[in-house]
């Protein structure tokens, strides 16, 4: 576009106004004669007619100005070209490559160079010539620079010199643009055919330097050298994170701060010329993959600790991220981090190290290590490997604990410790809500993962499969653990703490398929606690029964105003526990009535009570898990009279009922005189019967005791063992020993030395023996057979005709809340029901069954 100066530069001669006639106005008169018509000037200045004047008598005409280049002589244009050439040689002279020679002199100021450029471009219209001069001189300068850049210097020395030259060139280009501003404007106005000064220089640099294979090779090798040195001399205790990291005692050539400045300048130059991705990012990604792949292979070959390798990977990723944060943009940094992740953690490595890593972290209680593994595996989309390894470890851990028969006593304690740690891992390492217990606040650290929770479900599956390694035993031990806890009670601990512990135990109960086993052992323990008065708190016992029967509805906050229920119960068949408490309450009322004074005038009143110290509990066989007592016991006369009196009293209240005494769980208290003084002994009924035999005799043989007490041999041996071989020796055995034999004799220990006034002697018959446990297991088997039969009959009765597979599936589904029946057991019960004519097999299809009404 022409400048304003050119537009206002009129020609020296013109005939544009030759035909213009001025108008004369009267000074005194207001009006004047009409103006004469004047010819209208066209754009060429030739008259084509007269123009009309306006109301004020002013005639208007159009004037078109034409410009043409001055007819400068050739010497002036040549001089201007020489000035521009000298200016370019002077400006583009790079001293380090000038062989010690000074730059060509420039005798004129930059203003004269600017005027010369203006004359040639805007006046003489020689823009193409000036453009050619600039191209030639710039190419000569670039050629000179490229010839001196051999790339044979030490690492990063060449790159630093190269970046210095590029920076110097950028400054020279800006100077040329400011001086040859007319050429720059002219080039911008010519469209795509001619480029401006900056584009011309950058195109020349690209073709002569950045497209030169040797230059590209030198840049690539120096980037490789810098990256290798950075990674081999990395440090994790840098004082700065987002700025250049300063290191000490290093090679000054590869000083971290200086080298990073050089790389930063190189990246800026490459962005300027448009070669950042090809000349820096692409080779850097290649070097990154190569370096970390080699490092990975070397470490994996000599690897002894998987967690150490994962810690190394985390450190490498942090270093790489910190190194690139101040050098490249976010997309480029992300690309390098991804390349690093893929090189350090390919699928082969993540799959081969995951099991060892999980095992080491879990055994060392290393939550941070598991969190590190989770983050790394999530980076490379390998969380499924981690989930499977975690679930497998939980299963193997639970299996190991459950199958360790020597440590059955601490099985539940160990499982609770492991589950507490697993909950911590799920929340803090895997960012998931753990599987819930009976009650308790639900935590949800990461709601976005709440729908899937793969690690929580993996841990739950691991517990369930681990419990299957030893069927029935985990359920039995859970019931016994609760029995011990209920005997101790909460003590001085807050009630919330006790319930929290109980809920943790019941959380384990959720994992066992043998719900009926747990229920059987729990009810048996509850009955003993109630009858022997060993429970810490009967009110607490009722709360626990209600909890087991009805459960507690757990709510989780899913929004600001809405909650969601997670579950509501365990087993409704725990209602037998409530029936036990009803029997206890009725027995207490009955005992109060028995001890109430009789009216002598009432002929129908029961016989008077003979002993206020006698207590009895009347229980129903259908509620309490005990078998009928077989055998007789020889009571002292006063005790026998009390039993007869209570029998008569009960008959008077309930004529159609019969009492059957079960003395196995009876208790009594005896005040005994020892040499150290009187002591009150708390005994079982069996222990008291035997001890009362020593009222008149100090020494008795085993056979005499067996004959006079009426006890079974097994019960007599266990009872004598508790009196003579326990912690408190009320009797002395001759000969001494831990076991009782038929030839043994027993002597009352009058010299018992115990500072306590009240002494409790545990009865061995009150504890569950191996044989008793076997009897319970047998009873469970019988109950299961009946349950399977009932489930099959219900299905057949409702559907009339069922296939074999449908019947098995239906039976398993129906009984899943109580236990998981084996397919072989279902087959046996089907055959049993066919023999009893409850169902028949179809004659044409043996896999089809028909119900027999």
């Amino acid at each position: 576009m022409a400048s304003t100066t050119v537009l206002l530069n009129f020609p020296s001669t013109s005939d544009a106004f030759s035909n213009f006639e001025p108008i004369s106005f009267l000074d005194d008169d207001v009006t004047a004669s009409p103006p004469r018509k004047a010819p209208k000037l066209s754009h060429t200045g030739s008259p084509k007619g007269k123009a009309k004047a306006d109301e004020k008598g002013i005639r208007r005409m159009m004037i078109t100005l034409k410009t043409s280049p001055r007819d400068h002589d050739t010497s002036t244009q040549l001089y201007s070209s020489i000035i521009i050439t000298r200016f370019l040689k002077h400006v583009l002279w790079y001293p380090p490559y000038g062989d010690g020679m000074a730059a060509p002199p420039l005798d004129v100021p930059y203003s004269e160079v600017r005027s010369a450029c203006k004359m040639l471009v805007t006046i003489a219209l020689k823009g193409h010539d000036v453009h050619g001069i600039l191209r030639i001189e710039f190419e000569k300068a670039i050629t000179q620079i490229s010839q001196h850049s051999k790339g044979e210097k030490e690492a990063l020395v060449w790159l630093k010199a190269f970046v210095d030259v590029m920076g110097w060139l950028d400054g020279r280009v800006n100077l040329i643009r400011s001086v040859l501003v007319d050429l720059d404007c002219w080039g911008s106005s010519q469209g795509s055919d001619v480029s401006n000064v900056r584009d011309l220089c950058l195109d020349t640099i690209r073709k002569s330097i950045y497209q030169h294979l040797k230059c590209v090779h030198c840049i690539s090798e120096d980037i490789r050298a810098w990256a290798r040195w950075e990674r081999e001399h990395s440090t994790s205790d840098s004082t700065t994170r987002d700025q250049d990291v300063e290191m000490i005692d290093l090679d000054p050539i590869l000083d971290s701060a200086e080298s990073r400045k050089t790389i930063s300048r190189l990246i800026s130059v490459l962005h300027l010329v448009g070669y950042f991705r090809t000349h820096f990012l692409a080779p850097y990604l290649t070097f990154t993959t190569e370096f970390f792949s080699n490092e990975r292979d070397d470490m994996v070959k000599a690897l002894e600790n998987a967690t150490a390798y994962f810690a190394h990977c985390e450190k490498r990723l942090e270093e790489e991220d910190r190194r690139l944060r101040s050098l490249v943009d976010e997309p480029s940094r992300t690309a390098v981090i991804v390349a690093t992740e893929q090189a350090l953690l390919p699928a082969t490595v993540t799959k081969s190290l995951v099991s060892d890593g999980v095992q080491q972290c879990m055994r060392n209680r290393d939550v941070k290590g598991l969190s590190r593994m989770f983050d790394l595996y999530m980076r490379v989309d390998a969380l499924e490997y981690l989930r499977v390894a975690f679930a497998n470890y939980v299963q193997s851990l639970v299996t190991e604990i459950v199958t360790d028969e020597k440590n059955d006593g601490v099985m539940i304690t160990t499982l609770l410790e492991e589950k507490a740690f697993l909950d911590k891992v799920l929340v803090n390492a895997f960012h998931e809500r753990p599987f819930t217990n009976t009650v308790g606040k639900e935590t949800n650290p990461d709601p976005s993962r709440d729908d899937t929770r793969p690690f929580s479900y993996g841990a739950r599956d691991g517990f369930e499969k681990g419990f299957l390694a030893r069927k029935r035993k985990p359920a039995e031990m859970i019931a016994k653990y609760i029995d011990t806890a209920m005997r101790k009670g909460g003590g001085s601990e807050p009630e919330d703490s006790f319930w929290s512990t109980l809920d943790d135990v019941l959380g384990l109960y959720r994992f066992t398929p043998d719900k009926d086993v747990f229920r059987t052992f729990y009810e048996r323990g509850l009955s003993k606690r109630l009858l022997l008065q060993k429970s810490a708190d009967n009110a607490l016992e009722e709360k626990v029964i209600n909890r087991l029967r009805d459960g507690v509805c757990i709510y989780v906050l899913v929004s600001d105003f809405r909650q969601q229920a997670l579950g509501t119960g365990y087993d409704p068949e725990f209602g037998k526990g409530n029936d036990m408490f009803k029997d206890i309450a009725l027995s207490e009322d009955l005992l109060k009535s028995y001890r109430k004074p009789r009216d002598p005038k009432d002929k129908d009143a029961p016989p008077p009570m003979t002993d206020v110290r006698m207590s009895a509990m009347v229980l129903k066989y259908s509620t309490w898990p005990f078998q009928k007592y077989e055998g007789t016991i020889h009571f002292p006369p006063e005790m026998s009279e009390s039993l007869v009196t209570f029998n008569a009293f009960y008959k008077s209240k309930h004529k159609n009922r019969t009492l059957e005494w079960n003395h196995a769980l009876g208790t009594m208290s005896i005040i005994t005189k020892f040499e150290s003084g009187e002591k009150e002994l708390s005994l079982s009924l069996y222990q008291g019967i035997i001890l009362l035999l020593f009222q008149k005799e100090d020494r008795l043989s085993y056979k005499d005791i067996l004959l006079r007490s009426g006890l079974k041999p097994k019960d007599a041996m266990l009872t004598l063992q508790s009196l003579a071989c326990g912690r408190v020796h009320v009797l002395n055995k001759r000969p001494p020993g831990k076991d009782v034999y038929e030839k043994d004799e027993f002597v009352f220990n009058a010299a018992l030395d115990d500072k306590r006034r009240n002494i409790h002697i545990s009865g061995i018959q009150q504890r569950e023996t191996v044989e008793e446990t076997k009897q319970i297991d047998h009873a469970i088997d019988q109950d299961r057979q009946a349950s399977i039969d009932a489930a099959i009959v219900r299905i057949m009765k409702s559907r009339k005709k069922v296939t074999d597979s449908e019947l098995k599936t239906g039976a398993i589904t129906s009984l899943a809340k109580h236990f998981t029946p084996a397919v072989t057991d279902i087959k046996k019960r089907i055959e049993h029901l066919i023999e009893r004519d409850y169902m028949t097999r179809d004659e044409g299809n043996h896999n089809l069954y028909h119900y027999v009404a």
Side-chain angles (χ1 to χ4, degrees), residues 691-708:
L691 203 58
L692 288 175
L693 298 177
F694 289 87
Q695 283 182 309
K696 298 179 179 180
E697 298 184 37
D698 293 335
R699 180 186 293 267
L700 290 172
S701 66
Y702 167 78
K703 294 182 179 179
D704 292 337
I705 294 173
L706 188 63
L707 180 63
R708 295 183 185 184

Side-chain angles (χ1 to χ4, degrees), residues 132-146:
I133 295 173
L134 175 61
R135 178 186 295 106
I136 293 172
E137 294 300 326
F138 200 82
E139 288 178 353
K140 288 180 180 179
I142 296 301
T143 302
Q144 181 188 25
I145 292 173
S146 61

Side-chain angles (χ1 to χ4, degrees), residues 594 598 605-611 645:
Y594 171 67
R598 309 292 190 269
M609 179 181 61
T610 59
D611 191 354
T645 303

Side-chain angles (χ1 to χ4, degrees), residues 373-386:
M373 289 186 65
F374 178 83
D375 293 339
L376 293 175
Y377 276 68
M378 184 168 60
R379 284 171 175 262
V380 295
D381 195 21
L383 283 180
E384 181 62 18
Y385 294 152
L386 183 60

Side-chain angles (χ1 to χ4, degrees), residues 57-305:
I58 299 175
R59 295 183 180 180
R60 303 182 181 277
M61 60 183 175
M62 182 183 298
I63 301 175
T64 301
L65 302 177
K66 296 193 300 180
T67 62
S68 60
R70 291 185 179 181
D71 190 14
H72 291 284
D73 53 16
T74 306
S75 60
T76 303
Q77 296 181 16
L78 181 60
Y79 176 74
S80 298
S81 300
I82 293 173
I83 290 178
I84 294 175
T85 303
R86 288 181 178 179
F87 164 73
L88 293 175
K89 289 182 179 293
H90 176 80
V91 170
L92 296 175
W93 181 265
Y94 189 56
Y97 299 153
D99 298 329
M101 299 175 58
L106 180 62
D107 300 332
V108 297
Y110 288 164
S111 59
E112 188 171 341
V113 178
R114 184 180 295 109
S115 299
C117 178
K118 175 181 178 181
M119 189 277 294
L120 288 176
V121 174
T122 62
I123 299 176
L125 301 181
K126 300 293 185 179
H128 288 282
D129 296 342
V130 180
H131 196 271
I133 295 173
L134 175 61
R135 178 186 295 106
I136 293 172
E137 294 300 326
F138 200 82
E139 288 178 353
K140 288 180 180 179
I142 296 301
T143 302
Q144 181 188 25
I145 292 173
S146 61
Q147 289 178 352
H148 287 78
S149 302
K150 300 299 183 181
E152 298 176 354
K153 301 178 182 179
E154 298 180 5
L156 287 183
V157 175
W158 180 91
L159 188 63
K160 184 178 183 306
F162 175 79
V163 172
D164 291 341
V165 173
M166 293 299 104
W168 176 84
L169 275 177
D170 185 62
R172 299 292 94 181
V173 170
N174 290 332
L175 176 60
I176 294 172
R177 290 185 63 195
S178 64
V179 176
L180 305 183
V181 62
D182 295 282
L183 178 64
D184 199 39
C185 294
W186 174 82
S188 299
S189 64
Q190 298 302 309
S192 60
D193 295 336
V194 181
S195 57
N196 57 30
V197 173
R198 187 171 189 81
D199 291 342
L200 170 64
C201 296
L202 291 180
D203 289 341
T204 305
I205 292 174
R206 292 188 188 100
K207 295 177 182 178
S208 301
I209 296 179
Y210 291 101
Q211 295 180 6
H212 196 279
L213 294 179
K214 188 172 183 179
C215 180
V216 174
H217 175 74
C218 292
I219 294 175
S220 176
E221 289 301 316
D222 276 17
I223 293 174
R224 179 197 293 270
W226 168 75
R228 177 177 292 277
W229 184 91
E230 281 272 348
R231 289 159 181 161
E232 291 178 351
H233 296 80
S234 60
T235 179
S236 60
D237 56 351
S238 304
T239 57
T240 58
R241 296 294 181 187
D242 297 328
Q243 298 178 356
D244 293 335
V245 181
E246 184 176 359
M247 301 181 180
I248 59 175
D249 297 332
L250 301 175
D251 187 349
I253 298 177
L254 292 173
D255 178 76
S256 180
E258 292 299 324
S259 61
R260 290 195 185 183
K261 288 180 182 178
T262 300
I263 296 298
S264 179
R265 292 172 60 194
L266 173 65
I267 292 173
S268 299
V269 171
L270 293 176
H271 274 298
L272 180 64
V273 297
Y275 283 102
F276 168 75
R277 291 189 172 277
T278 58
H279 286 50
F280 181 86
L281 185 58
Y284 190 83
L285 289 173
T286 302
F287 304 152
T288 299
T289 302
E290 177 185 342
F291 179 87
F292 287 120
S293 296
N294 295 333
E295 184 180 70
R296 174 203 67 211
D297 294 339
D298 295 339
M299 291 190 67
V300 170
K301 288 180 181 178
L303 187 64
E304 297 181 357
N305 191 339

Side-chain angles (χ1 to χ4, degrees), residues 799-816:
R799 301 183 61 177
K800 306 303 181 184
K801 183 170 61 175
V802 185
T803 62
D804 182 74
S805 60
E806 291 176 345
L807 183 58
K808 293 175 183 176
T809 302
I812 293 174
T813 303
S814 176
L815 298 171

